[in-house]
Amino acid sequence: MKDIIDLHTHTLASGHAYNTLMEMVRGGAAAGMRVFGSSDHGPAMPGSCHRMYFVNFKAISRHQPGTGLLMGCELNILDYQGKVDLNDDALAKMDYAIASLHIPCCEPGTAAQNTDAFLGAMKNPRIQIIGHPDDSRYPVDYDTLVAAAGEHHKLLEVNNSSLKPGSFRQGAREHYIEMLELCVHYHVSILMGSDAHWVDDAGNHSLAHALLEEIHFPQELVVNTSVDKLIPYIPAAGIFQEAQAGK
């Protein structure tokens, strides 16, 4: 399976990652990513950066050696209504946004409450990706989640970091198998994300890729294979359309 896109990565700005933006960009390019996205944690995450970091992305060139660069954010969902930690004015200045549940930012609720949190975030038109919906600490109703992703035209992430042995997001493999079967049923697309916090993991989707291969998940629903597939979700990627062929 061709794999040329990684949009879930972190830099020093997140507070608990360990490389600069340019180190991560170079790592992604070396891993064969034709579109590389930086998505530092929103300001509600302890140790992460201020809102001002996210509203000045215009200063950054999107064309980098070996890859195209998109600048986004991994937003923190703050409550069961899907409120996130940056407002629409800030989100409008970014190329894309991921919305995720994190223990420091939102207390785990019931399956119904956690599902409502994701669904509330999906209703925000400036959020394109639901991050790592795989954590046993945040049980969800996957049928409702996947159906809503299709209705609201959102990508569901298969997070490579969650699948690593020793990951604190327990149960991810089993949850992903359930979610992916429903994605086939509802014809909902997914996006593999490295969730890299260290340069060696930039563009690394090996475990996610192996799982998709194991269950024979249809490539047509994997957005990582083509810039053309990404553009309907993230129009800003259109400037990299020719890069998908490695030009």
Side-chain angles (χ1 to χ4, degrees):
M1 182 190 302
K2 184 167 64 171
D3 181 6
I4 61 169
I5 299 166
D6 188 11
L7 299 185
H8 192 160
T9 68
H10 297 278
T11 76
L12 286 166
S14 283
H16 58 273
Y18 302 96
N19 293 96
T20 66
L21 174 60
M22 290 313 301
E23 287 170 343
M24 295 298 287
V25 169
R26 286 193 289 268
M33 299 299 103
R34 301 303 181 200
V35 179
F36 185 80
S38 183
S39 56
D40 283 308
H41 285 284
M45 178 64 70
S48 194
C49 44
H50 188 271
R51 175 184 180 277
M52 288 301 297
Y53 175 82
F54 299 100
V55 301
N56 195 39
F57 287 161
K58 66 181 184 298
I60 300 171
S61 173
R62 300 307 195 263
H63 293 279
Q64 296 294 327
T67 190
L69 174 62
L70 294 176
M71 295 300 299
C73 177
E74 185 180 13
L75 299 164
N76 299 291
I77 299 174
L78 303 177
D79 59 27
Y80 306 135
Q81 289 72 51
K83 179 182 177 182
V84 293
D85 53 344
L86 287 171
N87 63 22
D88 282 351
D89 288 343
L91 295 176
K93 295 176 171 62
M94 303 178 196
D95 297 323
Y96 69 101
I98 304 168
S100 306
L101 285 166
H102 296 109
I103 292 292
C105 303
C106 186
E107 188 75 17
T110 65
Q113 289 172 323
N114 300 329
T115 304
D116 284 345
F118 280 131
L119 267 55
M122 285 184 190
K123 293 175 183 177
N124 187 328
R126 298 199 182 278
I127 293 171
Q128 296 86 16
I129 304 164
I130 296 299
H132 50 72
D134 57 30
D135 192 339
S136 291
R137 298 171 297 180
Y138 289 103
V140 298
D141 178 340
Y142 282 104
D143 192 279
T144 300
L145 179 77
V146 176
E151 177 185 353
H152 295 289
H153 192 61
K154 307 298 181 182
L155 293 168
L156 295 173
E157 183 192 37
V158 176
N159 186 290
N160 196 76
S161 181
S162 296
L163 292 166
K164 288 182 177 180
S167 170
F168 54 81
R169 293 195 284 266
Q170 294 296 304
R173 175 183 168 82
E174 293 75 19
H175 294 152
Y176 278 139
I177 290 173
E178 180 181 358
M179 185 185 86
L180 291 166
E181 289 174 349
L182 288 162
C183 287
V184 174
H185 175 73
Y186 287 109
H187 203 73
V188 169
S189 292
I190 62 97
L191 182 76
M192 295 182 291
S194 68
D195 202 356
H197 287 66
W198 174 248
V199 66
D200 293 347
D201 276 332
N204 177 14
H205 302 140
S206 58
L207 298 174
H209 184 274
L211 178 59
L212 297 181
E213 292 286 327
E214 178 185 331
I215 67 171
H216 306 292
F217 190 77
Q219 289 192 32
E220 66 186 274
L221 296 180
V222 183
V223 169
N224 301 75
T225 63
S226 166
V227 178
D228 287 341
K229 290 182 184 178
L230 182 63
I231 292 169
Y233 297 93
I234 302 176
I239 61 172
F240 309 129
Q241 206 157 15
E242 292 184 356
Q244 64 183 317
K247 296 178 181 178

